[in-house]
Amino acid sequence: MKNFTVERLSFETLSALPGSWTNQDYLELLGLLEFDEASEIEPAELKAMCLMALTDLEPTEAAQLVLNYLFEDQLTQGQLENLAHQMLTEKLWEENPQLHQHEGFFKATQLLYEAYNGKFPRAEAVQFQVQLTADEADDLTLFATQPEAPLLRLLAPGMPDNTLLKRLFSDQLASNSFAEAPYIIWQLRTIRQQESTLVLEVVGSAYWLDDFKYADTYTATTQADVVVEAEIS
């Protein structure tokens, strides 16, 4: 177990994930929408044209198209139809049991919410910066690869005892196996690193991480996940 001082530096709520939709995405969606001469649209106008083209469809039809684009062959036609209807009323990035698809559901909903002026649920994510100060400088190597699990083990103590992350993942937080961690922290970026201090920017669903807004400076322990290598027969 490694000891760290944890300090929340900033915290804000987002309705869209940074960089989640690119001009290339808009071009490809316009192609699926059979929009003529999409390649001739000015880059600054691609998003607006894509949103407008989506609204030529019924909301559930647009949802099917966007989900199919994001998940490609991961969903059957029946699943696409069911999920497209659910998206109108349900927060699939929170309620769907497939945790690894939550970020995709968020991206789909944020786009459709904007296109249809609120006919879809409003997506909410959080973005914050957190400073980690290690007792030993070498302990920062914990975050060199697969940093999400050790980071969540440091964030959790800054949240209330009844926070969802602690209630549903108490075993994973206490152990050295947290396979779900990369599906909870959607984006992770190093802001700066010094000898024993690391500042990270975290983006994830408010569903899991909103309670970190209450965090003060505190000390906590963490450990890396143990990667089990498959045996060669």
Side-chain angles (χ1 to χ4, degrees):
M1 301 286 276
K2 308 297 184 181
N3 296 307
F4 287 84
T5 300
V6 182
E7 181 182 357
R8 175 180 55 79
L9 302 179
S10 64
F11 194 97
E12 61 180 316
T13 301
L14 307 176
S15 59
L17 299 182
S20 55
W21 290 99
T22 66
N23 282 346
Q24 184 60 37
D25 291 319
Y26 299 135
L27 270 174
E28 293 183 24
L29 283 174
L30 285 166
L32 294 174
L33 289 159
E34 299 180 353
F35 193 91
D36 293 335
E37 301 174 346
S39 60
E40 298 179 13
I41 300 171
E42 291 293 325
E45 298 175 3
L46 276 170
K47 179 181 179 181
M49 294 301 293
C50 183
L51 295 178
M52 184 180 70
L54 282 170
T55 58
D56 287 339
L57 302 176
E58 290 296 315
T60 53
E61 291 177 323
Q64 281 189 56
L65 184 139
V66 173
L67 288 175
N68 191 44
Y69 172 72
L70 288 172
F71 293 111
E72 297 188 37
D73 299 326
Q74 296 180 45
L75 301 171
T76 67
Q77 187 59 36
Q79 289 174 320
L80 284 171
E81 291 173 3
N82 289 336
L83 290 167
H85 281 89
Q86 291 174 25
M87 283 185 70
L88 283 166
T89 56
E90 297 179 25
K91 297 179 178 181
L92 293 184
W93 68 93
E94 298 178 358
E95 299 168 18
N96 190 276
Q98 301 301 321
L99 193 65
H100 67 283
Q101 295 177 342
H102 279 195
E103 184 177 0
F105 290 135
F106 189 101
K107 289 170 60 175
T109 306
Q110 80 178 45
L111 187 73
L112 293 162
Y113 176 88
E114 189 171 358
Y116 285 90
N117 283 324
K119 284 187 178 179
F120 289 82
R122 187 176 189 275
E124 282 195 357
V126 297
Q127 181 180 53
F128 57 87
Q129 290 187 11
V130 59
Q131 179 172 285
L132 311 176
T133 304
D135 282 2
E136 303 288 341
D138 288 347
D139 292 347
L140 290 181
T141 58
L142 271 176
F143 306 99
T145 58
Q146 299 181 320
E148 293 87 358
L151 178 57
L152 282 175
R153 295 186 181 105
L154 289 178
L155 298 180
M159 303 187 207
D161 288 341
N162 65 348
T163 196
L164 194 62
L165 183 69
K166 289 184 178 181
R167 288 191 283 116
L168 295 188
F169 292 109
S170 58
D171 291 343
Q172 290 90 333
L173 289 167
S175 72
N176 55 13
S177 179
F178 197 166
E180 300 88 350
Y183 309 130
I184 294 172
I185 293 178
W186 292 340
Q187 297 181 16
L188 185 60
R189 185 165 67 98
T190 298
I191 301 300
R192 64 179 179 273
Q193 182 171 348
Q194 297 171 319
E195 183 179 357
S196 60
T197 300
L198 178 65
V199 176
L200 297 171
E201 184 176 76
V202 180
V203 176
S205 173
Y207 187 63
W208 300 113
L209 299 174
D210 190 56
D211 282 346
F212 193 68
K213 66 188 176 187
Y214 302 116
D216 293 320
T217 303
Y218 58 93
T219 59
T221 60
T222 190
Q223 70 274 358
D225 271 12
V226 173
V227 179
V228 179
E229 296 183 3
E231 293 183 7
I232 301 175
S233 57

